[in-house]
Amino acid sequence: MPNRLIHETSPYLRQHAHNPVDWYPWGEEAFRRAKEEDKPILLSIGYSACHWCHVMERESFQDPEIARIMNENFINVKVDREERPDIDAIYMQAVQAMTGSGGWPLTVFLTPDGEPFFGGTYFPPQDRHGLPGFPKVLLAVAEAYRSRRQEVRQQAAQMATYIRRVMALRSPPDLLSPQVLDEAFRGLKAQYDAQFGGLGSAPKFPQVMAWEFLLRYHLRTGHPEALEMVTRTLRAMASGGIYDHLGGGFHRYSVDRLWLVPHFEKMLYDNALLASLYLHAFQVTGHEGWAQVVRSTLDYLLREMRHPQGAFYSSQDADSEGQEGRFYTWTYQEVMEALGPQLGKAFAIGYGLTPEGNFEGRNVLCLARSVEDVAQEMGLEPSVVGGMLEEARARLFALRERRPKPDRDEKVLTGWNGLALAALSEASCVLKEPRYREAAVDCARFLLSHLVCDGQLMHSYKDGQAKVPAYLEDYACLVHGLLLLHEATFDVGWLREAVALARQMISMFWEPQEGVFYDTGPLHHPPIARPREVLDGATPSGSSMATYVLLRLSAVMGEEELRNIAVQALRGMRELMVRAPAMAGHWLCALDLSLADVQEVAVVGHRHDPRTQALMDVLHSHFQPHRVVVGMSPEEAGTGIPLLEGKTALGGMPTAYVCRNFVCREPVTTPQDLARQLSQP
């Protein structure tokens, strides 16, 4: 007999629909019943690709006896953190304060008013590895709620007060200078793993925004060490097991310092952000290997993660056939049987395969040896070995495609799709891949048609339903993607949509008296406190992305007010950028942009005209994060975009206008003249 979650669209919630637990989705019904029956709420938060969420579901939520204890003593509420990041942010803050750490699955016990009084993460079904068994925890909490009610209420009230204070916290509005960037660089350098790349030791996350900042810092200062930190890390990730060498794309993080054994889930946001990072590294270095990583990552998204109508799904599971990493790993024997002795030997040497394996008796593929090393060991020419390895990868990929695939969370999330939209749009320009531009257009059309209801942007879509009003992150990331899509297409409609969404974003999430963005707006009703996440983690925080896109839009629209809001938001983050640069990478990118002499470039011409393309090739030949580019066809007039007003095509030729603070140089029509103007101070 299914429980209430059977009526939800979230794949994560529906995975629990046949548990014997009497689950409720988050909502008034659960809290009303908790008050009527005077029971505490057991709140369990996770997401579809979370390995340990699946483990706890199998071990505890499917167990009839544990379910009986839960049902008798608690009102049980399940939340998909990707669908309700506001709820997750509040209660994660509580558990971190209570225990010193957090993660998923998140297990929190609340009063009927939603105030947390006890919590943790994963609990095993019996005492194990120093963790108390879940039944023991349940009975102890239930007994405390019955017999020590005053103590529980006091603890809950104190925790609620703490959360409200944390969510409203900000630094003094300090003045900003390039010195902040210098201090942040030194802070990242102190955490850098000079041997294997990345920050810190195991586990290692991609930390994309930190490397984006260091690319910008290298451009600003010419500091060679900043670039070396980025390129060593990118080489290590692209060679390691965190990268899927057969199918493209990246897993979520590495459990070891070497980037060898990953947590095998694949997330849309990781792959969108990493595609953009490798693209920028390609522009800086010209290293063709980085361009190939971009192509394989975006091709993975188009092949495996695309909704039939153009948007992108959220994630793929770590598990398949009941085992973590089963889809992606190989036994030595499987490979040799598939490839034969000669091809198998070359592949085993190149990709580090052994009979013993490097992961639970199986092998995670990694680039263990160069083509030249394999050729030398086998007594063959490198060109021959290169062809052999390419054939081996193709054969193994075809064989892997026959395996049962990991489950896919088919929610469409607006913010994460905005990141994918940005990556596809920019890659279409830099790599001259029209299919990426076409995919970006399809994605944007889907978002603006299926995730806008009665003029209101929504957060999540599945099974024909758009759910939950959009958060700050959704607005900011979608504006970011639309700005880059306009650059890729010259369709002024995308630019107008970006401007309209940005204005809506300010009205809903910006608090001018406090000088901060909040993650929720007037259409949300979060419990306890209005959440405000400022740390740049696996994705840019909504606040840092909002700040970044307003700086770019201020250069397009010539509106000082947009820039003033962004600078005000930045000033409150100075202490974070200096003290914790690894958690403020996108803030640092925004600060770098705010301190830069921004180039404004307007191009008038048909986007598909080879002459227009020649001008755009000049603009995309190098990484220039301090430049904004807008364009339109010669026939267009009255765009409403100040940077495009009064611009015409000279003599019918595609024409570029290079401007600073809306003061433009003489228009140019040749790539050579454009390159000359761009290089002039």
Side-chain angles (χ1 to χ4, degrees):
M1 182 75 178
N3 56 52
R4 295 169 188 81
L5 301 185
I6 197 68
H7 303 297
E8 296 297 305
T9 59
S10 160
Y12 176 68
L13 297 186
R14 289 178 68 91
Q15 286 166 7
H16 296 75
H18 294 278
N19 294 161
V21 177
D22 187 17
W23 288 117
Y24 284 81
W26 180 273
E28 291 182 9
E29 184 184 1
F31 285 90
R32 184 173 61 250
R33 186 178 164 198
K35 290 173 183 175
E36 289 171 354
E37 299 185 12
D38 191 24
K39 287 183 178 179
I41 289 170
L42 191 167
L43 174 63
S44 177
I45 303 177
Y47 60 100
S48 182
C50 167
H51 172 69
W52 287 102
C53 299
H54 296 319
V55 172
M56 192 165 179
E57 195 254 345
R58 287 196 301 267
E59 291 179 339
S60 293
F61 302 147
Q62 291 183 16
D63 184 281
E65 178 58 22
I66 294 177
R68 182 189 64 78
I69 298 172
M70 293 172 67
N71 295 337
E72 288 179 2
N73 295 280
F74 303 94
I75 303 302
N76 304 290
V77 176
K78 244 309 166 192
V79 166
D80 180 343
R81 69 171 293 261
E82 296 170 354
E83 193 171 75
R84 293 302 304 264
D86 53 336
I87 296 168
D88 179 63
I90 288 169
Y91 293 111
M92 179 64 74
Q93 188 75 53
V95 170
Q96 287 173 332
M98 293 178 200
T99 67
S101 62
W104 301 277
L106 189 67
T107 307
V108 201
F109 297 91
L110 321 176
T111 67
D113 293 321
E115 295 181 339
F117 62 90
F118 183 74
T121 54
Y122 163 79
F123 291 103
Q126 301 93 25
D127 293 0
R128 192 165 65 207
H129 305 307
L131 294 171
F134 194 42
K136 182 185 292 186
V137 171
L138 294 170
L139 293 171
V141 171
E143 176 58 27
Y145 188 80
R146 281 191 295 269
S147 62
R148 302 200 304 275
R149 183 69 59 89
Q150 190 59 34
E151 182 183 331
V152 165
R153 283 177 175 161
Q154 185 177 1
Q155 162 79 0
Q158 289 174 348
M159 185 54 60
T161 300
Y162 166 79
I163 292 170
R164 292 186 191 102
R165 191 169 66 245
V166 167
M167 293 299 177
L169 201 62
R170 75 184 297 265
S171 302
D174 295 330
L175 293 176
L176 299 166
S177 71
Q179 182 184 358
V180 176
L181 304 178
D182 297 332
E183 292 184 53
F185 168 66
R186 288 191 288 271
L188 291 172
K189 184 179 173 183
Q191 299 177 58
Y192 174 62
D193 182 346
Q195 185 174 0
F196 297 107
L199 298 178
S201 189
K204 274 188 178 171
F205 289 80
Q207 303 277 76
V208 173
M209 278 71 73
W211 312 119
E212 287 280 12
F213 161 63
L214 288 176
L215 282 179
R216 288 160 172 78
Y217 188 76
H218 168 71
L219 292 179
R220 171 179 286 274
T221 65
H223 204 304
E225 195 168 2
L227 182 59
E228 168 61 22
M229 290 165 68
V230 177
T231 55
R232 181 180 292 273
T233 299
L234 296 193
R235 280 196 304 271
M237 288 196 296
S239 298
I242 192 174
Y243 178 64
D244 182 352
H245 294 275
L246 299 184
F250 289 84
H251 300 290
R252 185 160 167 255
Y253 65 92
S254 172
V255 302
D256 54 53
R257 183 185 171 197
L258 285 68
W259 303 101
L260 175 59
V261 177
H263 242 304
F264 289 92
E265 59 264 44
K266 284 183 172 182
M267 312 300 294
L268 173 60
Y269 59 75
D270 280 327
N271 285 285
L273 290 167
L274 283 162
S276 295
L277 173 61
Y278 276 87
L279 185 73
H280 298 157
F282 167 65
Q283 288 179 290
V284 172
T285 66
H287 178 39
E288 183 58 36
W290 301 155
Q292 184 51 41
V293 171
V294 177
R295 291 187 184 95
S296 69
T297 301
L298 294 179
D299 289 349
Y300 154 72
L301 291 181
L302 292 174
R303 186 184 69 246
E304 299 288 346
M305 299 289 281
R306 199 178 186 199
H307 186 284
Q309 292 174 269
F312 292 90
Y313 299 131
S314 297
S315 63
Q316 280 184 307
D317 248 354
D319 299 8
S320 60
E321 301 182 74
Q323 297 179 37
E324 185 183 7
R326 177 67 179 80
F327 181 75
Y328 301 101
T329 56
W330 300 82
T331 66
Y332 186 83
Q333 184 177 357
E334 283 174 333
V335 170
M336 298 308 290
E337 287 177 356
L339 300 180
Q342 185 78 343
L343 208 55
K345 180 181 178 183
F347 190 84
I349 296 170
Y351 286 88
L353 272 70
T354 64
E356 301 79 29
N358 54 26
F359 175 72
E360 299 178 359
R362 300 176 66 82
N363 288 276
V364 176
L365 303 184
C366 66
L367 277 179
R369 305 273 292 277
S370 69
V371 170
E372 290 72 21
D373 284 348
V374 178
Q376 185 174 10
E377 183 160 336
M378 297 188 69
L380 298 169
E381 288 296 318
S383 60
V384 173
V385 169
M388 292 172 67
L389 293 178
E390 186 175 347
E391 180 186 348
R393 287 193 300 270
R395 279 204 213 173
L396 291 177
F397 175 75
L399 188 61
R400 195 179 79 173
E401 283 292 282
R402 300 180 209 158
R403 294 176 174 175
K405 291 191 176 183
D407 287 343
R408 185 170 62 188
D409 185 331
E410 296 187 351
K411 287 194 310 292
V412 172
L413 297 175
T414 300
W416 297 3
N417 270 263
L419 298 175
L421 177 59
L424 286 162
S425 299
E426 196 171 10
S428 74
C429 297
V430 176
L431 303 180
K432 304 178 190 176
E433 288 278 8
R435 60 197 179 91
Y436 295 154
R437 180 175 61 244
E438 292 160 8
V441 168
D442 289 343
C443 179
R445 284 176 177 158
F446 184 98
L447 296 175
L448 294 176
S449 60
H450 290 78
L451 280 130
V452 176
C453 300
D454 299 324
Q456 168 62 47
L457 186 66
M458 305 298 284
H459 171 64
S460 175
Y461 175 94
K462 189 175 184 298
D463 296 340
Q465 296 181 49
K467 295 184 65 175
V468 186
Y471 300 100
L472 173 63
E473 174 192 31
D474 296 309
Y475 277 86
C477 290
L478 182 52
V479 170
H480 174 53
L482 289 171
L483 288 174
L484 289 169
L485 180 58
H486 164 73
E487 186 176 335
T489 61
F490 283 13
D491 184 338
V492 179
W494 302 127
L495 191 49
R496 292 195 192 100
E497 292 281 4
V499 172
L501 286 167
R503 298 197 195 288
Q504 223 180 345
M505 176 179 77
I506 293 168
S507 70
M508 294 177 70
F509 304 102
W510 175 248
E511 289 295 334
Q513 300 305 315
E514 300 174 65
V516 300
F517 284 103
Y518 280 93
D519 293 335
T520 57
L523 299 176
H524 301 95
H525 304 285
I528 305 178
R530 190 178 181 188
R532 185 172 71 91
E533 177 58 79
V534 297
L535 299 181
D536 295 323
T539 59
S541 69
S543 295
S544 68
M545 183 60 88
T547 300
Y548 182 78
V549 298
L550 290 183
L551 288 168
R552 289 179 61 82
L553 271 177
S554 70
V556 173
M557 301 301 292
E559 294 184 22
E560 193 63 22
E561 180 58 26
L562 299 178
R563 177 177 172 80
N564 290 341
I565 291 172
V567 170
Q568 194 176 353
L570 274 168
R571 284 179 173 171
M573 292 299 111
R574 184 189 189 283
E575 187 175 348
L576 173 67
M577 290 186 274
V578 170
R579 292 179 179 271
M583 301 304 292
H586 204 259
W587 283 110
L588 290 161
C589 293
L591 175 58
D592 173 66
L593 179 60
S594 77
L595 297 171
D597 185 14
V598 176
Q599 272 186 342
E600 306 143 0
V601 182
V603 180
V604 182
H606 293 289
R607 189 63 177 84
H608 301 298
D609 186 327
R611 297 170 299 175
T612 306
Q613 184 60 50
L615 296 174
M616 297 302 292
D617 288 346
V618 173
L619 294 171
H620 295 125
S621 60
H622 296 90
F623 181 48
Q624 291 295 340
H626 307 148
R627 179 184 295 155
V628 296
V629 180
V630 296
M632 66 179 181
S633 65
E635 299 83 12
E636 198 135 17
T639 62
I641 306 301
L643 189 53
L644 288 171
E645 290 304 307
K647 307 298 192 296
T648 59
L650 295 184
M653 294 281 289
T655 305
Y657 296 76
V658 178
C659 315
R660 282 188 175 86
N661 298 318
F662 281 75
V663 177
C664 301
R665 298 184 176 183
E666 70 277 7
V668 296
T669 58
T670 70
Q672 296 79 11
D673 287 341
L674 177 57
R676 176 179 50 78
Q677 282 195 358
L678 293 172
S679 65
Q680 291 173 352

